[in-house]
Amino acid sequence: MTFTVEVKESVLTTSLACVYPYGASFFKYQCLRYNLLNECDNNESEDEKEELSESDIKLDIKYIKSLESKDWKEQDHYRVLGIPHLRVKASTKDVKKAYKFMVLKCHPDKSQGSTKVNEEAFTCIQRSYEQLCTLEGKRAYDSTDPLFDDDIPNITEHNKQNFYKTYGPIFSQNAQWSMQKNVPLLGFETDSIDDVNDFYNFWYDFKSWREYSYLDEEERDKAENKDERRYVDKLNKQERVRRKKEEVSRLRTLVDNAYACDPRIKAFNEERKKRKQEAKLAKQEAYRLEQEALILKKEEEERIIKEKEEQRLLEEKEKAEAEKKERQKQNKLLKTKKKKVPTATLR
């Protein structure tokens, strides 16, 4: 599969063609595609770096004399060139200067004294330089640097209690693999929830420039024909893809474990849980007050109805008593009239 991309940045137009989906060329393509680090950035950073001095080059003559050219791929190339303290931070300029220094000190024909080495050891110096003198070769070796610790801290009570001390250096070390600039680091206990979320969002979407062509077990140059080279490329590609998946899984595990141990996440979750509980209690209290208000309203309505009923009954009673008194009065009058009627008749 091939890719073609054009990236226009100010007045610069960069075109890449026939980019295979692995290796140094694919790294360049990904950088330009996502507008990440590119070769120009690396050159600018090299210009800004302080120039390597000869006093910074550590000549380990005992180690160099013990080297054999057949084992060049297992050797520490930075140690061979006398810059083991720089490693991934070393620029190609640093590599070239260190190599010139090693040639002056160790060349089997030109140098003199105890630092002179044989052809076998000097071949190793040359192979180390050839590996590190280009950005592609250096990146391939740096991706598999044997001194880089790929271990991930587990989720333990000790790591939770020593979270910043345990995970801070790990994230700082792994930040060197980022294709993006301004990598957010672990931070501090006082960071806001937004800063912490930004940190984890970045690392969960981490884009690594590590590639594993340096570990290819099958040597393409030794293939006898086109079909054999194609088969070797297929095997190497499969192995690189497998290792890349392992790297993605490793970084994911790092972020997952850190998230599980992060006291800030625990504090934020507890605070959110507390606010949620307070909101729930407030809602329950509001509901209780609402129900009490409804009950009071109902009781008031019942009281009013009862009072009206009592008033109605009282009025009916008073009316009945008044009617009774009126009937009694009328009956009394009738009785009085009846008594008067017989007296008139007798006369």
Side-chain angles (χ1 to χ4, degrees), residues 46 78 83 86-92 95 130-144 209 211:
E46 289 186 10
Y78 288 108
I83 48 175
L86 295 182
R87 311 202 75 78
V88 71
K89 296 179 181 178
S91 66
T92 53
V95 171
E130 290 169 1
Q131 182 66 46
L132 300 178
C133 68
T134 64
L135 290 173
E136 291 80 6
K138 184 177 183 301
R139 188 175 294 119
Y141 179 72
D142 288 338
S143 296
T144 59
W209 54 261
E211 55 96 2

Side-chain angles (χ1 to χ4, degrees), residues 141-152:
Y141 179 72
D142 288 338
S143 296
T144 59
D145 190 339
L147 295 189
F148 182 81
D149 187 2
D150 283 318
D151 290 341
I152 301 299

Side-chain angles (χ1 to χ4, degrees), residues 10 18 56 70 101 130 135 140 161 177 198 245 251 300 336-337 339:
S10 65
C18 298
D56 295 326
K70 64 183 179 66
F101 178 83
E130 290 169 1
L135 290 173
Q161 294 176 359
W177 308 126
D198 289 344
K245 288 181 178 179
L251 289 171
E300 180 65 15
T336 303
K337 287 180 179 181
K339 288 180 179 180

Side-chain angles (χ1 to χ4, degrees), residues 327-338:
R327 285 196 302 272
Q328 289 176 350
K329 183 179 179 181
Q330 293 295 330
N331 290 337
K332 189 175 181 180
L333 289 173
L334 287 174
K335 286 181 181 180
T336 303
K337 287 180 179 181
K338 286 179 180 181

Side-chain angles (χ1 to χ4, degrees), residues 57 81 95-105 129:
I57 302 173
L81 295 179
V95 171
K96 291 174 183 177
K97 185 162 187 177
Y99 175 67
K100 290 179 180 179
F101 178 83
M102 300 303 289
V103 169
L104 292 174
K105 294 291 184 179
Y129 171 70

Side-chain angles (χ1 to χ4, degrees), residues 124-294:
C124 294
I125 295 176
Q126 290 177 312
R127 296 302 296 268
S128 293
Y129 171 70
E130 290 169 1
Q131 182 66 46
L132 300 178
C133 68
T134 64
L135 290 173
E136 291 80 6
K138 184 177 183 301
R139 188 175 294 119
Y141 179 72
D142 288 338
S143 296
T144 59
D145 190 339
L147 295 189
F148 182 81
D149 187 2
D150 283 318
D151 290 341
I152 301 299
N154 294 321
I155 303 174
T156 64
E157 194 61 35
H158 176 270
N159 289 340
K160 289 181 180 180
Q161 294 176 359
N162 300 273
F163 175 72
Y164 299 100
K165 184 178 180 181
T166 300
Y167 283 92
I170 302 298
F171 278 102
S172 297
Q173 293 166 14
N174 281 274
Q176 71 185 28
W177 308 126
S178 176
M179 294 174 69
Q180 294 174 284
K181 293 181 177 180
N182 302 320
V183 180
L185 298 182
L186 191 59
F188 306 95
E189 187 177 359
T190 55
D191 289 346
S192 66
I193 182 63
D194 291 335
D195 291 337
V196 175
N197 285 336
D198 289 344
F199 168 79
Y200 283 107
N201 288 337
F202 179 92
W203 280 90
Y204 272 122
D205 193 35
F206 190 88
K207 293 181 177 63
S208 172
W209 54 261
R210 291 184 90 174
E211 55 96 2
Y212 299 92
S213 59
Y214 188 78
L215 299 179
D216 288 347
E217 295 181 2
E218 305 293 336
E219 296 186 23
R220 190 173 189 272
D221 296 337
K222 293 183 179 180
E224 296 181 356
N225 53 57
K226 184 178 180 180
D227 290 337
E228 193 171 325
R229 283 194 295 272
R230 186 181 295 113
Y231 179 70
V232 168
D233 286 341
K234 180 180 178 181
L235 292 179
N236 288 334
K237 179 183 176 181
Q238 289 176 346
E239 190 63 18
R240 293 177 191 179
V241 170
R242 183 189 67 80
R243 288 191 171 103
K244 188 67 176 181
K245 288 181 178 179
E246 288 180 352
E247 170 65 3
V248 171
S249 177
R250 184 188 72 85
L251 289 171
R252 180 64 186 240
T253 302
L254 168 62
V255 183
D256 285 342
N257 291 1
Y259 191 89
C261 295
D262 197 332
R264 298 168 300 183
I265 297 297
K266 182 180 178 181
F268 294 145
N269 288 338
E270 289 177 351
E271 180 65 23
R272 184 170 56 214
K273 185 178 179 180
K274 181 180 178 182
R275 288 198 302 268
K276 188 176 180 180
Q277 183 65 19
E278 289 175 351
K280 182 179 179 181
L281 293 175
K283 187 176 180 179
Q284 290 176 346
E285 180 65 14
Y287 178 77
R288 185 185 67 80
L289 294 175
E290 182 182 0
Q291 293 302 309
E292 287 183 356
L294 290 174

